Amino acid sequence: MFKRRFGIDIDGTVTCPSTFIPYLNESFQKNLTLDDITDYDLVPFLDTTEEKLNEWMEQYEPIIYSEAPLANGALEVINSWKDKYELYYISARGRHLYDITEKWFRKHGVHYHHIDLVGSHDKIEAVKKYNIDIFFEDKYDNACNIAQQCLIPVILFDTPYNRGPLPEGVIRVYNWHEAKKKVEQLVATTS
């Protein structure tokens, strides 16, 4: 039987979008909330340089990724799909973080069929390689590019840093339960 294949981003999608904020606040002596982060580029919010932020990321990524909380509803919805769809996680995380990532999935009981850490925000090649039918994302330009270049629906999880106008094919949702309803509608109209 044919199973649709979902491509799912991890950070800010499966994990809570505010995951990084306590670590950033502590390291950069800030008092930011998720609502303060209105752009994906964190440099202006932290009064730092891209180089310093990249060094910080290298140091803190393993800790943050191993401790990241799940987004509300993610576990319930994703695991309800495990027998119905193929779940392919496509993340910008570097490949060197694979063991930490897989351990996090096992620890939280999040079902997966495949995990690909592409090491870049450009996920187009991976989406095409795996013949993804629907993609789930929190990064605005990724969502737009995937929808436009791969001609598949993209579910964009709303955050303060991704509130641009949506092109055709990008569907904004506010939680995983809403995402599940949108998926049911999409599947029903393309069956």
Side-chain angles (χ1 to χ4, degrees):
M1 183 185 137
F2 165 76
K3 283 188 182 182
R4 289 175 200 271
R5 187 171 286 174
F6 293 170
I8 307 169
D9 171 56
I10 300 172
D11 298 302
T13 304
V14 178
T15 66
C16 183
S18 62
T19 296
F20 277 77
I21 293 174
Y23 300 93
L24 292 167
N25 282 339
E26 186 176 326
S27 295
F28 293 92
Q29 288 81 50
K30 296 291 177 186
N31 195 19
L32 297 167
T33 67
L34 182 59
D35 288 333
D36 296 323
I37 310 295
T38 55
D39 192 291
Y40 199 83
D41 179 9
L42 294 170
V43 171
F45 303 102
L46 301 172
D47 302 319
T48 190
T49 64
E50 193 167 331
E51 184 182 55
K52 282 193 168 91
L53 182 58
N54 288 339
E55 288 171 10
W56 181 88
M57 289 290 286
E58 276 184 42
Q59 181 183 349
Y60 282 91
E61 273 181 322
I63 298 160
I64 295 169
Y65 294 153
S66 65
E67 297 176 358
L70 277 156
N72 287 338
L75 182 66
E76 178 186 337
V77 171
I78 289 168
N79 285 354
S80 77
W81 289 340
K82 69 182 181 184
D83 297 322
K84 204 173 187 180
Y85 307 110
E86 292 183 358
L87 306 174
Y88 277 54
Y89 296 85
I90 300 171
S91 171
R93 292 180 182 187
R95 287 178 179 86
H96 65 287
L97 296 162
Y98 187 86
D99 290 344
I100 286 168
T101 302
E102 188 179 42
K103 187 176 178 182
W104 181 91
F105 273 79
R106 286 195 313 267
K107 173 182 161 185
H108 290 280
V110 178
H111 190 80
Y112 63 92
H113 293 99
H114 183 78
I115 298 170
D116 190 355
L117 306 183
V118 297
S120 153
H121 285 293
D122 185 359
K123 301 173 183 176
I124 303 290
E125 192 178 308
V127 169
K128 290 178 178 178
K129 174 183 173 183
Y130 297 120
N131 296 310
I132 299 300
D133 296 297
I134 300 173
F135 201 84
F136 300 80
E137 180 64 73
D138 72 311
K139 191 171 189 292
Y140 175 78
D141 56 338
N142 280 1
C144 297
N145 292 338
I146 291 167
Q148 291 171 332
Q149 293 184 41
C150 300
L151 304 176
I152 62 169
V154 177
I155 307 291
L156 178 67
F157 285 85
D158 182 74
T159 67
Y161 55 80
N162 70 17
R163 295 197 176 130
L166 301 180
E168 189 173 332
V170 179
I171 303 157
R172 185 179 298 280
V173 297
Y174 296 88
N175 58 58
W176 273 95
H177 295 288
E178 192 177 333
K180 185 177 183 181
K181 286 179 188 161
K182 293 291 182 190
V183 165
E184 289 166 1
Q185 292 168 359
L186 288 166
V187 169
T189 59
T190 57
S191 291

